[in-house]
Amino acid sequence: MCGIVGYIGKEEALPILLEGIKNLEYRGYDSAGFAIVGDDKKVSSEKAVGKVAALFEKISGRSFPGKLGIIHSRWATHGGVTELNAHPHSDCAGKIWVAHNGIIENYKELKKELLGKGHKFKSETDTETIPHLIEEEIKTLSFQEAVRSALKKIRGTYGLVIVNSDEPHTLIAARNFSPLLIGLGDGEYIVASDAAAVLKYTKNVVYLDDGEMAVMTPSSHKVFDLDMNHREKETHVIDWSPELAQKGGYANFMLKEIFEGPEAVENSVRGRLIAKEGLVKLGGLSDSLPLLRDAKRILISGCGTAYYAGRVGEYMLEEYGGIPVEVDVASEFRYRKPVFREGDIFLAISQSGETADTLAALREAKEKGVPVMGIVNAIGSTIARYTDAGVYQHIGPEIGVASTKAFVSQVSILALLTILIGRQREMSLVTGRRIAEELKKIPDMIRRVLKQNDEIAELARKYQKFNNFLYLGRKYNLPVAYEGALKLKEISYIHAEGCGAGEMKHGPIAMIDENFPSVFIAPQDSVYEKMISNIEEVKARRGPVIAIATEGDEKIGEIADDVIFIPKTLEMLTPILSVIPLQLFAYHFGVLKGLDVDKPRNLAKSVTVE
Ligand code: F6R
């Protein structure tokens, strides 16, 4: 969580830092602040509570000269949302400034010790211990050595950028379990927690690994481990254009990204399907084919939307792949002491590739010797690098906090995996071909669903007066019911619950009356008749019903109050279509309530704390 950017080079730092942090705001946005070091060794800093715009407003018309600086946008973990708790934090002398993403677990002990030595703290944060620790160490060591020595005393996670006004030509960055990369410019370096902050200036980046620190001057950069051994680092070229990270004419990122659903599926599937032979070629898994062939079970883990994609994958892989699958929310996985067996494969699903819970689950499996694989969007992210093998989503950055295009892409990749694993087992050529052919048609089918955007907006208007919703599905569309409810909750702060339609009679139906609408995901599939009976049960209790149904289904229109149609496709692929109206419904609901749908309150795009 939290966005951090650091700059050192030939340009004025502040405009570059502000531009960078604007692009990272989705990582956290309850307060923001910066510190700039001038050539005269003077530090100027400003902080503001609220979104980055509040900081912009506060500094408007003022100048903050200096070619070295750090900036931060916060998602609070320790200490309330106040200006004093906003980063960067400094030492007693106001010389050493630190912006931090992560959690310092032993900060209480460290703080006690530092208070005992006379240090004065201004904030309630764990982060503030770092500049004070460095201040203590720098009494006998160089800046670089002092940082290293301080880091050795810290237990926890961090992505850090650090400046010292006594050294106006040095920027230090360090990483432990919180993402950090260095953009390599021409006579300048931009350190950031995410590539979105550096793309405007350079496409060449170096990813820091855990336990590494980088020391930069305007003309050089060196990476070390915490024992000061030099680390040779590879330069990666990121081919995302800065425009990709912009809104492209849409009112906001969420709508743009929902409308990018068709391209997301195309990009995730492109070059990977050999439809005629009913086969799939996944480059990132080519060395793992024997492992997959011998696998006896797949353990899938992820959080939120990625977890729901995994639940769709479970149905696909068991029904068509012929392999047992277990899916866990990553935040529970390692705490329930999972029992691993010979032949297990662990599959992490994560758009950002940085979700702390997913990473922790992955580590748990890897440490127990289980081969680990991933479905990840962010290239070079921690999860992508930590897995033994994997499949990239190739959908460009997802900026809106609510995950939308990532879900359709993840489910498409799980369909590819199903063909791959299925064909290694009992799946016939005909079935492999059929799924492949149908998957190719999905992008155009999504486009057809998107054409109903205006009708869905109208529906959102009609249902604005309700404060509770039940989302119901069965089999492949049960995870979609959960996902639809999650979207409505996070975007419009409306209470929504996902529920198996078969479970409804075991409790949730008690809530139904004329003020409690239900959204039924009921395409014409193997559980269609059961869904129709469930709709009847709700109607018998005067509950309003919205149904997501297959084009041409006239029967459902007679019982549901409102129907949104999706094209007919294979049952296993329906979630890629049925989720779209639910994304749009949540989107319009939020917009009509006047909410910031790209940055819902209390959330952050990439949840890098547990
Ligand atoms: C919901 C949402 C979250 C994420 C979850 C996992 O709209 O965005 O539930 O899906 O935090 O994030 P990734 O996929 O980055 O691991």
Side-chain angles (χ1 to χ4, degrees), residues 469-474 478 481-482 497-513 516-521 529-546 559:
F469 285 81
L470 197 57
Y471 282 67
L472 297 137
R474 284 174 183 257
L478 172 54
Y482 291 130
E497 247 183 80
C499 177
E503 273 297 291
M504 189 177 68
K505 58 187 174 296
H506 298 289
I509 200 166
M511 298 187 288
I512 297 298
D513 62 15
F516 204 128
S518 300
V519 181
F520 278 85
I521 300 112
E529 293 303 334
K530 302 258 175 250
M531 291 296 288
I532 294 293
S533 305
N534 295 136
I535 297 178
E536 299 276 15
E537 285 157 15
V538 166
K539 285 313 305 172
R541 287 155 184 86
R542 302 185 316 283
V545 168
I546 302 173
I559 43 173

Side-chain angles (χ1 to χ4, degrees), residues 302-307 349-355 358 383 398 401-404 410 483 486-487 490 604-607:
C303 297
T305 296
Y307 163 70
I349 305 181
S350 175
Q351 184 284 129
S352 64
E354 301 292 352
T355 300
T358 310
I383 293 176
E398 191 181 61
V401 164
S403 204
T404 52
Q410 286 157 353
E483 171 60 7
L486 175 65
K487 285 287 93 84
E490 64 182 331
K605 182 64 183 163
S606 157
V607 186

Side-chain angles (χ1 to χ4, degrees), residues 56-274:
F56 279 44
E57 204 172 298
K58 196 167 177 189
I59 62 169
S60 134
R62 291 159 61 194
S63 103
F64 297 83
K67 299 186 171 73
L68 169 66
I70 58 179
I71 196 163
H72 184 274
S73 71
R74 180 168 186 246
W75 187 84
T77 58
H78 292 67
V81 179
T82 63
E83 221 168 85
L84 273 183
N85 287 335
H87 296 218
H89 292 287
S90 72
D91 62 346
C92 300
K95 289 185 173 183
I96 295 158
W97 291 76
V98 173
H100 170 217
N101 172 22
I103 292 175
I104 307 303
E105 285 162 10
N106 58 339
Y107 85 101
K108 285 202 173 126
E109 298 122 76
L110 292 171
K111 187 169 176 177
K112 198 167 159 208
E113 216 176 283
L114 289 160
L115 285 170
K117 288 181 178 163
H119 287 261
K120 300 263 179 298
F121 281 72
K122 296 181 270 303
S123 77
E124 305 154 314
T125 64
D126 52 335
T127 302
E128 201 187 341
T129 50
I130 305 171
H132 290 284
L133 250 185
I134 299 172
E135 184 176 36
E136 200 51 40
E137 302 292 326
I138 215 166
K139 288 178 182 163
T140 53
L141 298 170
S142 67
F143 178 32
Q144 185 175 320
E145 277 293 333
V147 170
R148 180 184 82 92
S149 177
L151 293 182
K152 286 198 131 183
K153 295 189 170 143
I154 285 171
R155 216 175 48 241
T157 59
Y158 53 79
L160 291 168
V161 280
I162 308 166
V163 292
N164 171 9
S165 60
D166 280 341
E167 302 215 12
H169 304 297
T170 307
L171 170 66
I172 295 185
R175 167 194 164 129
N176 202 38
F177 300 110
S178 296
L180 211 57
L181 56 86
I182 307 171
L184 312 175
D186 178 15
E188 61 185 2
Y189 294 98
I190 307 163
V191 180
S193 31
D194 184 314
V198 311
L199 283 178
K200 185 169 169 195
Y201 306 96
T202 179
K203 291 188 185 314
N204 300 326
V205 302
V206 163
Y207 293 102
L208 285 190
D209 283 308
D210 292 338
E212 285 183 347
M213 64 183 265
V215 181
M216 287 149 281
T217 70
S219 57
S220 70
H221 73 284
K222 289 203 172 93
V223 179
F224 305 95
D225 64 18
L226 294 190
D227 294 319
M228 286 326 263
N229 298 308
H230 183 249
R231 291 264 178 101
E232 273 311 322
K233 301 292 290 183
E234 197 186 331
T235 301
H236 295 258
V237 180
I238 302 183
D239 59 4
W240 289 359
S241 69
E243 296 73 46
L244 255 183
Q246 300 305 319
K247 287 183 198 156
Y250 286 91
N252 42 52
F253 285 112
M254 182 177 178
L255 189 62
K256 172 176 180 260
E257 287 160 6
I258 296 172
F259 272 81
E260 282 173 352
E263 290 78 42
V265 175
E266 272 159 7
N267 292 340
S268 296
V269 166
R270 180 172 297 120
R272 292 169 163 174
L273 269 180
I274 312 163

Side-chain angles (χ1 to χ4, degrees), residues 228-432:
M228 286 326 263
N229 298 308
H230 183 249
R231 291 264 178 101
E232 273 311 322
K233 301 292 290 183
E234 197 186 331
T235 301
H236 295 258
V237 180
I238 302 183
D239 59 4
W240 289 359
S241 69
E243 296 73 46
L244 255 183
Q246 300 305 319
K247 287 183 198 156
Y250 286 91
N252 42 52
F253 285 112
M254 182 177 178
L255 189 62
K256 172 176 180 260
E257 287 160 6
I258 296 172
F259 272 81
E260 282 173 352
E263 290 78 42
V265 175
E266 272 159 7
N267 292 340
S268 296
V269 166
R270 180 172 297 120
R272 292 169 163 174
L273 269 180
I274 312 163
K276 256 204 201 140
E277 294 168 41
L279 290 174
V280 158
K281 192 165 173 268
L282 294 167
L285 296 183
S286 54
D287 292 341
S288 308
L289 293 178
L291 255 179
L292 288 167
R293 185 172 299 114
D294 296 340
K296 299 205 167 49
R297 185 172 67 149
I298 299 185
L299 306 169
I300 299 180
S301 206
C303 297
T305 296
Y307 163 70
Y308 296 135
R311 296 266 311 253
V312 176
E314 177 181 24
Y315 285 99
M316 288 179 176
L317 283 158
E318 292 200 332
E319 182 167 4
Y320 287 96
I323 185 164
V325 176
E326 279 179 31
V327 193
D328 274 277
V329 269
S331 50
E332 282 299 315
F333 184 74
R334 71 184 166 145
Y335 295 110
R336 72 169 177 82
K337 298 259 182 301
V339 178
F340 297 109
R341 295 186 222 132
E342 187 76 31
D344 279 349
I345 286 186
F346 182 90
L347 178 69
I349 305 181
S350 175
Q351 184 284 129
S352 64
E354 301 292 352
T355 300
D357 287 317
T358 310
L359 189 56
L362 183 62
R363 286 207 161 99
E364 174 71 19
K366 190 164 179 160
E367 275 159 21
K368 298 277 160 54
V370 178
V372 291
M373 302 183 185
I375 297 176
V376 172
N377 185 38
I379 292 166
S381 58
T382 310
I383 293 176
R385 286 179 295 135
Y386 201 76
T387 41
D388 306 320
V391 187
Y392 274 124
Q393 294 182 235
H394 294 310
I395 57 169
E398 191 181 61
I399 307 286
V401 164
S403 204
T404 52
K405 63 175 176 175
F407 179 84
V408 292
S409 149
Q410 286 157 353
V411 174
S412 308
I413 291 173
L414 286 160
L416 294 178
L417 202 59
T418 301
I419 302 177
L420 190 149
I421 290 179
R423 294 285 279 131
Q424 286 181 324
R425 292 170 170 71
E426 304 287 306
M427 186 190 286
S428 67
L429 166 67
V430 175
T431 306

